[in-house]
Each structure stands twice: as C-alpha cells, then as structure tokens.
Amino acid sequence: MPDGRRTVGVIGGMGPEATVDFFAKLVAATPVERDQDHLHVLIDNDPTVPDRSAAIEGAGPSPAPRLIAMARGLVAAGADLLVMPCNTAHAYEADIRAAVPDVPFVSLIEATVDTVAAAASGPRSVGLLATSGTLRSAIYHAAFARHGIAVLVPDTDDQRTVTAAIAAVKRGRATQTERARLREVAERLALAGAEAIVTACTELPLLLGSGDVVVRGVAVPVIASTDALVVRTLEAASAQRGDAVTP
Amino acid sequence: MPDGRRTVGVIGGMGPEATVDFFAKLVAATPVERDQDHLHVLIDNDPTVPDRSAAIEGAGPSPAPRLIAMARGLVAAGADLLVMPCNTAHAYEADIRAAVPDVPFVSLIEATVDTVAAAASGPRSVGLLATSGTLRSAIYHAAFARHGIAVLVPDTDDQRTVTAAIAAVKRGRATQTERARLREVAERLALAGAEAIVTACTELPLLLGSGDVVVRGVAVPVIASTDALVVRTLEAASAQRGDAVTP
C-alpha cells in the first residue's frame, strides 16, 4: 500500500492526552497486514503552546507563532499533510494555512461539521460541548450555519462543568463525577432540542461517548470531532501525492 | 516544571501500536497540573523501517540507515534525548549512538535489565519473551549476564507462539486465543525455573501483564520493557540540559 501516500504531520500537545487519543485511533483505524502498511506520522507534541482559550478571550499571548513554527518544523521534517487535534486552536487555522500554503491542512472543524451533516439521522440542531475559547471564537457556529444546522450551547453554569471536565482530563484526574456531570449537561442540551451532541474538544471523547446520552428512553447520537478527524486524515493521506486534497 | 527539561525524540513506528503504547504511558506517567507541565515529545512514527528480525537473521536489508536518518531528523527538529520503543531495533543501538554522539540515547535494554536487577524479588533467572531477532542478536543475554542473571528462552514451538502473538498485535487482530497461548508459554518458562517474566518486545505488554502468570498458585512477576523505558525516559528528560544523562 505504501507509498505515494502522504506523511501526516500532527501539530499536537494540546493537550497530550488528546494527541495520544488521536494517534491511537488513527493507528487502530488504518487497515493493515503488517507494520509497513501503516501511515508515516510525524508528531510534534509541544505542551507549552500558550493557552488557546485565554488568548481568544484576550487574557493571554497568541499561540499562533508557536503553531506556525510547529507546522513549518513538521513540513521541514517531511510532512506533506497537516492535522491539529485541538478544536480551540482552529481559531488560528487561517494563520497556519497562510504560513504553509503548499501543504494541505485537514480542518478538524470542517471534518466534524461534514460528519454531522452527513449523519443518517440528519440533525437540524446540535448541542456543542467545547472550550470557552471555541465558543467565543464561533468557529463552529459559522461552519454549522453553512449547512443550516442550529447550534445550542450550555448555559453559564453548565459551561463551567464542561470547562472543569476538560481540565480534569488534562490533569489526568477525570473521575466518574466529571463523567456524570458532563452527561447531565449533554442531556439538558438534548432536552432543549439538540438532535445530536458534538464533543468538539479533543479531551471530551475520553469522558462521553455514543450511548451515554439518553433522553426520554432514546439515545441521542454523540459525534466526536476526534473520530471525524481520524476518518478525514486517513482519506487525505491515502490520496496520491499530487492529487488535490480538500480542504 | 518546564523548562531546562529535555525534548524527547522517539524513533518509532516499530510497530505503530507499540509507539502509541509508549507515548500513552509516558503521558500518563508524567505528573502534571496543566498541559504545560508535560514533556515536549517529537515522534517519528515510520512504519516502513525494514524488518529488524529479518535483517538480524540475514534475510533482509539492514534497518540501520533508516534508524540513523530518523535519529538525525529528530535531533534536527529539536530533540536532545533519544528513545526507541522497539527492543529488536536495539541490535543497532551502537550505530545510532555513533551517528548522533552528542545526544543521549536511553537504552531500552539497559532500562529493562536495570529494572529487573533492582526488583524487590531479586530474580536470579528470567524468562525472555521477545522476537526471534532479539533472541538471535543476544542483546539481552549479554546485559543480563553482567548482572549475573540467567536467561531462559522458549523452545522452538513456543517461540513460534510468541512470534505469532507479536504479529497479531501488529495487525491489530490479537484475540483471547493469543493471550491464552502466550500465558501458557510464560508459565512453562516459570515452571522451568524463571523467577520473573520479561516482556522484551514492545507489542507484548498489550497481551500479557502483571498477575497473568500464575504457577503453583503463585503469581510470577511480569516486567515490561515498555514500562522500564517510560520511567527511565522521565528521569532522563527531567535532568537539566547540560547534566550528564546515563547511560
């Protein structure tokens, strides 16, 4: 199967658990008979990238210079396809694309929104579980709007619960308490009309998955941005070099 | 805690599941309060490295040129500490060290043997579960001999079982059958006198762990090379740059 396939460069470390989770799912999803059938993957797991939500909220330095340096470093090391398993950092997607215009970048946001839009259940509204920075930047709102899909977000108290759950995963200390509270937040969004839940932060699938959200006896689909990125990355990497990769 | 800590370069992809496993365990073992406390890790997951066992047995090309290129690439990208989560590839450890003499290399073999030698139970003999290439190269025999620890290896039939188990993990298709057969091989080594079992191939901890090997009602310690490498890597990376790192 090699080669002519693309070398995947992963702008990672935001956080490291999410990068591990993406890498593990990418390896598990690749159909192989032997080592050599796997993709060549270069990972820069840099956990010192400035906090994305803080920057978006005007309370910290921009991560863009570091993200651009990582993208350029990965390309210099041989990557010819870039991915970034961190939703919030996609507020800086345009900066990265502009810095390495010749290398395709697989957008986590587009992959997720396209997956929701193509879902068999055809949701007309989604509940968005994400960092405060992702909500503030409105990157998902704009992308879902293009598909005519409405976005519901947690109220202020519930968003604190989401933020705390993400922080617990980052500290490696998430417990059943965080799981249960996150499930309750998701169920409230479903009761408010969300026809699917989108875990739009790469830490969240470690706490909430398919079958976890049940309202009035019916399971509400949970769509993980990480899974959408894995599928899209495999497709894009398997395209021959020289083929167009969109987007 | 950052920085002054070393950036870890991972010569990976042999196989990708083992690299995922090492990365996941390294992240989980790092004490953190936030993303920024994690280590900066650069991974080159190249699954096209020529087969190590085949090369050692004279049936294929040497992986050394590719391993050296990966080491140099990681150093060029900023790594100042190198690790390689593949036991068999350590037959080429001296080639890698010679190619990048100024960057410390944490030996998986030394880490594992030191861990066994320091074990509370003080084993005088170990059962070695490894690839045929690792056995043929005798890298573990020499290192254990320096500690006066005897090495028992599976007989020909049982080694076929070990090889098949490793291949099943690499194909992502290991089942309870491989687990059960591998456990039987380990138990036969313990019955033959091994006071501890060493899973000296980074695929094997995915199938056999502590508590799995029980002989005459007593659990035989199972020591995983991957775990030993994680501990040693954390120690070496946390040493200030400029400090000596041994070995």
Side-chain angles (χ1 to χ4, degrees):
Chain A
M1 184 153 139
D3 243 14
R5 293 185 305 169
R6 292 175 188 269
T7 296
V8 180
V10 181
I11 303 170
M14 305 174 280
E17 291 83 0
T19 299
V20 167
D21 188 51
F22 170 76
F23 183 30
K25 285 172 176 163
L26 185 67
V27 168
T30 309
V32 300
E33 287 299 321
R34 53 193 191 122
D35 280 4
Q36 287 74 11
D37 295 331
H38 277 284
L39 291 172
H40 188 180
V41 181
L42 300 170
I43 300 176
D44 187 346
N45 181 75
D46 185 352
T48 68
V49 178
D51 186 284
R52 285 68 65 193
S53 286
I56 290 165
E57 292 167 4
S62 170
R66 186 73 207 116
L67 299 176
I68 288 170
M70 292 167 87
R72 287 187 172 141
L74 288 162
V75 170
D80 51 10
L81 181 75
L82 291 170
V83 303
M84 181 165 65
C86 172
N87 285 273
T88 319
H90 279 68
Y92 305 91
E93 179 182 334
D95 301 285
I96 298 169
R97 287 184 186 269
V100 283
D102 297 333
V103 178
F105 177 95
V106 179
S107 167
L108 174 54
I109 312 302
E110 292 298 331
T112 304
V113 170
D114 289 351
T115 300
V116 172
S121 61
R124 291 154 298 174
S125 61
V126 294
L128 193 65
L129 298 179
T131 64
S132 54
T134 295
L135 298 185
R136 177 74 74 98
S137 70
I139 42 181
Y140 270 105
H141 291 73
F144 275 120
R146 287 197 288 277
H147 288 277
I149 295 172
V151 175
L152 283 74
V153 301
D155 66 21
T156 307
D157 276 354
D158 279 356
Q159 183 57 36
R160 273 194 210 105
T161 300
V162 175
T163 300
I166 294 166
V169 172
K170 285 182 184 288
R171 284 195 306 269
R173 291 193 205 129
T175 66
Q176 291 305 320
T177 306
E178 279 81 18
R179 283 181 199 277
R181 288 188 185 150
L182 191 65
R183 198 174 59 232
E184 288 166 12
V185 170
E187 286 172 357
R188 276 193 281 278
L189 288 171
L191 282 168
E195 297 174 358
I197 301 297
V198 178
T199 46
C201 169
T202 45
E203 268 77 22
L204 292 174
L206 302 175
L207 294 180
L208 189 82
S210 278
D212 285 343
V213 184
V214 178
V215 169
R216 300 191 191 98
V218 178
V220 179
V222 176
I223 295 166
S225 58
T226 307
D227 293 343
L229 184 62
V230 166
V231 171
R232 183 67 63 92
T233 301
L234 276 175
E235 290 170 358
S238 301
Q240 296 297 304
R241 288 192 185 105
D243 284 4
V245 174
T246 53
Chain B
M1 184 153 135
D3 241 15
R5 294 185 304 169
R6 291 174 189 270
T7 296
V8 181
V10 181
I11 303 170
M14 304 173 281
E17 290 83 359
T19 299
V20 167
D21 189 49
F22 170 75
F23 182 29
K25 286 172 175 163
L26 185 67
V27 168
T30 309
V32 300
E33 287 298 322
R34 53 195 191 122
D35 280 4
Q36 286 75 10
D37 295 331
H38 277 283
L39 290 173
H40 189 180
V41 181
L42 300 170
I43 301 175
D44 187 346
N45 181 76
D46 185 352
T48 68
V49 177
D51 187 283
R52 284 69 64 193
S53 284
I56 291 165
E57 291 166 6
S62 170
R66 187 72 208 116
L67 298 176
I68 288 170
M70 292 167 87
R72 288 186 172 143
L74 288 163
V75 170
D80 50 11
L81 181 75
L82 291 171
V83 303
M84 181 164 66
C86 172
N87 285 274
T88 320
H90 279 69
Y92 305 92
E93 179 182 334
D95 301 283
I96 299 169
R97 287 183 186 270
V100 283
D102 297 332
V103 178
F105 177 95
V106 179
S107 166
L108 174 54
I109 312 302
E110 292 299 330
T112 303
V113 171
D114 290 350
T115 299
V116 172
S121 62
R124 290 154 299 175
S125 61
V126 295
L128 193 65
L129 299 179
T131 63
S132 53
T134 294
L135 299 184
R136 177 73 74 97
S137 69
I139 42 181
Y140 269 105
H141 291 72
F144 275 119
R146 287 196 288 276
H147 289 275
I149 296 172
V151 175
L152 283 74
V153 302
D155 67 20
T156 307
D157 276 353
D158 278 356
Q159 183 58 36
R160 273 194 210 104
T161 300
V162 175
T163 300
I166 294 167
V169 172
K170 286 181 182 290
R171 285 194 307 269
R173 292 192 205 131
T175 66
Q176 291 306 320
T177 306
E178 279 82 17
R179 283 180 198 277
R181 287 187 185 151
L182 191 64
R183 198 173 59 231
E184 288 166 13
V185 171
E187 287 171 357
R188 276 193 282 279
L189 288 171
L191 282 169
E195 297 174 357
I197 300 297
V198 179
T199 45
C201 169
T202 44
E203 267 77 23
L204 292 175
L206 301 175
L207 294 181
L208 190 82
S210 278
D212 284 345
V213 183
V214 178
V215 169
R216 299 190 192 99
V218 178
V220 178
V222 177
I223 294 165
S225 59
T226 308
D227 294 342
L229 184 61
V230 166
V231 171
R232 183 67 63 93
T233 302
L234 276 175
E235 289 170 358
S238 300
Q240 296 297 302
R241 287 190 186 107
D243 285 3
V245 174
T246 52

